[in-house]
Every structure is written in structure tokens, then in C-alpha cells.
């Protein structure tokens, strides 16, 4: 049975299930299209893509589906200053590079793509939804997205952030619970106070804003989806659950790490990118953070750009100990399967969980009538 909500009707999708944007290679066009074809909403995580790559990925998605899909970017922030100790940081990273047969790391001439060029490309993709994380977009950017009639969703990790996004004019708020895999979206406060679990965050945001809320963070199966809907969410956004799908582009060593890790084996780290993100604990994370982190880690996105060659080589060589293994706390529930099978399973499980609650209610009513 389809799981329709007012939001799914507006977005013209069958199920209130979004595949999270998975910047860094997880969300191949094949994954995005498979999710959308199965009645969910696939997302292209375009934050690390050059404008031409954004256009090309969307072209492939459109060649594989006529269903709606979304596009996601990071809200821009001013480029960080290069810290005085950057050469020390590079030197500390050099042995890891040498171990993979790479030349010593260097500071990149440009640490990230130009947001305005990425936005220009994103507006040409034919995506019907635009979402963003890491901040609030400028009123000019919001106006440009709305002129394209795209639905606009921003990411919040606290109630105050959700209110700021609503005031800026978004059509929906994606709540990112502390369980979530990947980078924290926190933008209005310090990262440690933005660590609110999905169970607490969703209902408080639902009470505080009028726009629909999309719950994310630790949701892996139909029980989680039913719970999020019961908390007042209009849809859910799953990241980790889609990473182990057949169509996901992450290296096999990363998929295996998710399939074998437990809920207590992730940590929030800045080691790979300079910005807090949740991933499976591995050697790189432990060793980089073993001393004084401030001495060892450059600010985002510099650290991300510096460690990129290491992560790319590790992916090719199957060395999970040097990969950023972004994953949420629900990873024991991850399965290898096609995206279409995952969506079918999620819908079946959600219906079963909702029927279970209904049956409990009926039993309770029958008991109290006796
Ligand atoms: C590998 C990975 C990459 C991600 N990339 C993005 C991204 O580009 N943009 C974004 O808004 N969220 C991104 N996220 C966060 C997701 O939107 C979402 O908050 C998270 O996956 C939900 O938690 P879960 O992984 O437990 O399902 C990413 C998450 C992961 C695991």
C-alpha cells in the first residue's frame, strides 16, 4: 500500500521516503533513478561536483527515470584562512600518504567548487526539489530556486535552526538527528550542542514550524519510518540504509565496513574534512586525533581537499582504514540489496508497524470494554 502524506502528493511521489544526498560518490545516478522509479525521492548530492559534473549526473538520472528527483548543495561559507601551522599538519599527514604510495600532501589552490556556479548548474538539472545543508542560503539564491518552481528544503539540527530556515522561506525542514551519518549540518550554535537525537528533535521542530518536516538520522527500516511519522514528520530521509544498496557507488570495503560494524563503533570526527561528521572509527581517525587535534587538522573544506587524494587511493586499494566511512548509528540494520527492493521492504515494514500499533489499540479497546 502506498504511504501517502500531503507532502508526497505535492512532490508527486508514491512514498514519503527520500534517499539522502550522499556527496562523495554514494549517490550514483543509477541509485538516484532507482529510488525515484521505486516511488521514493532520489537525490543527487552535488556539493563536491563541478558544474559540468552536476549537469552530466542529472542528464544520466533523467535518461533513467521520468519521476521527480532532487539536488543538494552545501550552503556556502567564506573560505577559511590558511592557518600558520598548515605545514606541520601536512607533515603529520605525510606518512599516511607514503603508506599508500602517494606523494606528500600539498595545500590545494582551491578547496571547493564555486557555489554560484554550482547553483547555476543545479537550476538547469530538471530536479524538482532543491535541498541544502550547513546554513541558510542568501535571499538571492532562494529567489532563483523558487523562480524554477523547485521545492526548497533546508537542514536543521535544532529548533532555532528550523525556525531560521522557515523564516528564510524554505518549503520544508530536514531535521538531522545526532544519530545521522555524514557531516553535521549545524550552523547556528556549536556542534556539540546541536547533537539532538531524532526522537527528541522531530516533535519539537514539528511544533515550532508550519512547513513539513522530513526526519533523518538513524532511520533504517519501517519501524523507524512509522515512528518518525508518528512524531509528526511528513517524510523521512535515509542515508546509511542506501549506502549498502547495489547501485551505491561507495567502495566495497566501505560497504563491508557498514555491514559488519555495530551501533557503538561510530564517532563524530573532524579528521577527514575539518568539519564534524559521523563515521565508523578507523585507523586514520584514531591516529589523527590521538594528539592535539587543533595541531593536526585544518579547517573545512581545506582538510577535506588535502585528504581527498589519500581517500581516493584508499578506495582504489580497498584500504578501509584510510576511508571516511560516514555512517549513522543504525548500521546493524543495513542490508545489501537493490534500491527498489529496499523501498519495497521499507513500505511493507512501515505498513506492518502501523498495523501493529492499530492492533495494539484495538486490543486495548477490547480489554477496556470488558
Ligand atoms: C556518506 C554520506 C554523505 C552525505 N552527504 C550529504 C550531502 O551531501 N548533503 C546533505 O544534506 N546530507 C548529506 N548526508 C547526511 C544525510 O542527509 C542524512 O542526514 C543522514 O544520512 C541521515 O542519517 P542516516 O545515515 O543514519 O540515515 C550524508 C550522509 C552520509 C552517510
Amino acid at each position: 500500500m502506498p504511504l501517502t502524506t500531503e507532502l508526497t502528493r505535492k512532490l508527486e511521489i508514491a512514498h514519503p521516503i527520500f534517499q539522502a544526498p550522499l556527496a562523495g560518490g554514494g549517490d550514483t545516478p543509477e541509485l538516484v533513478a532507482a529510488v525515484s522509479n521505486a516511488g521514493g525521492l532520489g537525490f543527487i548530492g552535488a556539493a563536491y561536483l563541478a558544474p559540468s559534473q552536476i549537469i552530466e549526473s542529472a542528464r544520466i538520472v533523467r535518461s533513467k527515470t521520468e519521476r521527480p528527483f532532487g539536488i543538494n548543495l552545501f550552503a556556502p561559507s567564506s573560505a577559511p584562512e590558511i592557518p600558520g601551522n598548515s605545514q606541520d599538519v601536512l607533515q603529520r599527514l605525510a606518512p599516511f600518504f607514503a603508506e599508500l604510495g602517494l606523494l606528500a600532501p600539498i595545500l590545494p589552490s582551491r578547496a571547493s567548487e564555486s557555489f554560484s556556479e554550482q547553483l547555476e548548474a543545479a537550476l538547469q538539472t530538471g530536479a524538482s526539489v532543491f535541498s541544502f545543508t550547513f546554513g541558510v542560503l542568501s535571499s538571492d539564491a532562494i529567489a532563483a530556486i523558487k523562480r524554477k518552481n523547485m521545492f526548497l528544503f533546508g537542514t536543521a539540527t535544532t529548533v532555532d535552526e528550523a525556525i531560521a530556515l522557515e523564516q528564510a522561506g524554505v518549503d520544508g525542514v530536514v531535521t538531522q538527528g545526532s544519530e545521522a551519518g555524514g557531516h553535521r549540518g549545524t550552523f547556528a550554535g556549536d556542534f556539540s550542542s546541536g547533537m539532538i537525537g531524532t526522537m527528541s528533535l522531530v516533535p519539537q521542530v514539528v511544533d515550532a514550524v508550519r512547513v513539513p518536516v522530513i526526519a533523518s538520522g538513524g532511520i533504517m527500516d519501517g519501524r523507524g519510518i512509522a515512528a518518525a511519522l508518528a512524531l509528526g514528520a511528513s517524510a523521512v530521509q535515509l542515508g546509511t540504509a542506501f549506502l549498502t544498496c547495489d547501485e551505491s557507488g561507495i567502495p566495497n570495503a566501505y560497504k563491508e565496513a557498514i555491514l559488519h560494524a555495530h551501533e557503538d563503533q561510530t564517532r563524530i570526527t573532524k579528521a577527514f574534512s575539518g568539519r564534524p561528521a559521523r563515521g565508523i572509527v578507523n585507523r586514520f581517525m584514531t591516529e589523527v586525533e590521538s594528539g592535539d587535534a587543533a595541531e593536526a587538522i585544518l579547517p573545512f573544506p581545506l582538510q577535506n581537499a588535502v585528504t581527498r587524494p589519500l581517500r581516493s587511493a584508499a578506495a582504489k586499494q580497498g584500504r578501509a582504514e584510510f576511508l571516511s566511512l560516514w555512517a549513522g548509528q543504525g548500521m546493524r540494520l543495513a542490508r545489501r540489496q537493490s534500491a527498489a527492493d529496499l523501498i519495497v521492504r521499507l513500505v511493507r515494514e512501515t505498513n506492518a508497524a502501523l498495523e501493529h500499533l492499530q492492533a495494539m489499540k484495538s486490543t486495548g479497546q477490547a480489554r477496556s470494554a470488558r
Side-chain angles (χ1 to χ4, degrees):
M1 210 190 353
L3 292 163
T4 46
T5 64
E6 206 182 319
L7 182 64
T8 60
R9 281 190 284 276
K10 274 193 192 151
L11 299 178
E12 298 180 5
I13 57 175
H15 309 299
I17 302 172
F18 298 3
Q19 161 249 310
L22 300 165
D27 51 7
T28 59
E30 290 70 25
L31 179 68
V32 177
V35 171
S36 290
N37 280 331
L41 186 70
F43 262 94
I44 302 174
Y48 303 136
L49 300 183
S52 58
Q53 294 172 307
I54 295 178
I55 299 284
E56 179 57 9
S57 335
R59 188 193 62 74
I60 305 174
V61 171
R62 287 195 317 271
S63 73
K64 292 178 184 298
T65 185
E66 292 185 347
R67 307 294 310 145
F69 65 95
I71 189 116
N72 172 276
L73 288 175
F74 295 163
S77 50
S78 46
E81 283 197 15
I82 296 180
N85 70 339
S86 59
Q87 289 309 318
D88 300 342
V89 174
L90 296 180
Q91 259 178 29
R92 286 184 60 158
L93 293 174
F96 300 116
F97 279 64
E99 205 177 317
L100 291 184
L102 297 172
L103 295 173
I106 48 165
L107 285 179
S109 51
R110 195 165 77 153
S112 60
E113 298 291 333
S114 142
F115 175 79
S116 58
E117 290 171 16
Q118 287 180 313
L119 174 63
E120 197 52 45
L123 297 177
Q124 311 306 323
T125 54
S128 54
V129 180
F130 186 108
S131 76
F132 60 94
T133 185
F134 296 2
V136 183
L137 296 184
S138 69
S139 50
D140 284 353
I142 291 179
I145 295 162
K146 297 223 160 167
R147 274 198 298 277
K148 283 279 178 184
N149 287 325
M150 294 165 103
F151 291 93
L152 181 63
F153 300 144
T155 307
T157 60
T158 62
V159 170
D160 284 349
E161 289 177 352
I163 292 171
L165 289 164
E166 181 179 49
Q167 284 170 351
V170 298
D171 303 307
V173 170
V174 179
T175 55
Q176 187 187 42
S178 56
E179 306 91 329
H183 284 104
R184 302 295 305 149
T186 303
F187 62 90
D190 63 84
F191 286 100
S192 55
S193 43
M195 295 297 288
I196 322 295
T198 292
M199 184 69 120
S200 316
L201 183 60
V202 173
Q204 295 186 80
V205 171
V206 166
D207 286 350
V209 298
R210 283 178 301 273
V211 292
V213 171
I214 299 101
S216 86
I219 303 172
M220 298 289 290
D221 65 11
R223 294 169 296 183
I225 297 174
L229 297 176
L231 294 172
S234 300
V236 292
Q237 176 162 299
L238 281 60
T240 305
F242 283 103
L243 283 175
T244 50
C245 282
D246 302 335
E247 298 91 340
S248 141
I250 63 170
N252 196 45
Y254 183 178
K255 287 190 186 176
E256 286 295 315
I258 294 177
L259 291 164
H260 292 102
H262 296 161
E263 70 289 352
D264 56 353
Q265 289 172 336
T266 68
R267 195 161 77 204
I268 301 287
T269 182
K270 285 168 56 169
F272 291 98
S273 72
R275 185 180 172 103
R278 183 178 294 286
I280 299 170
V281 177
N282 64 359
R283 189 180 138 204
F284 184 81
M285 209 194 262
T286 314
E287 292 188 9
V288 169
E289 289 176 341
S290 64
D292 180 352
E295 292 285 312
I297 301 173
L298 297 168
F300 182 87
L302 272 180
Q303 182 81 0
N304 202 45
V306 166
T307 64
R308 183 168 291 131
L310 182 83
R311 291 178 282 124
S312 303
K316 286 197 191 106
Q317 296 176 28
R319 302 280 298 268
E321 70 269 39
F322 294 120
L323 291 174
S324 48
L325 302 170
W326 304 143
Q329 290 176 322
M331 85 257 287
R332 274 195 212 242
L333 303 170
R335 301 282 178 270
R336 257 188 206 274
Q337 59 198 146
S338 70
D341 286 350
L342 174 58
I343 298 269
V344 168
R345 179 164 72 81
L346 292 172
V347 172
R348 193 185 57 235
E349 290 172 352
T350 308
N351 280 314
L354 294 172
E355 280 159 22
H356 176 66
L357 290 177
Q358 193 59 41
M360 282 171 71
K361 197 173 146 208
S362 316
T363 317
Q365 277 166 353
R367 274 211 195 100
S368 55
R370 262 190 250 139

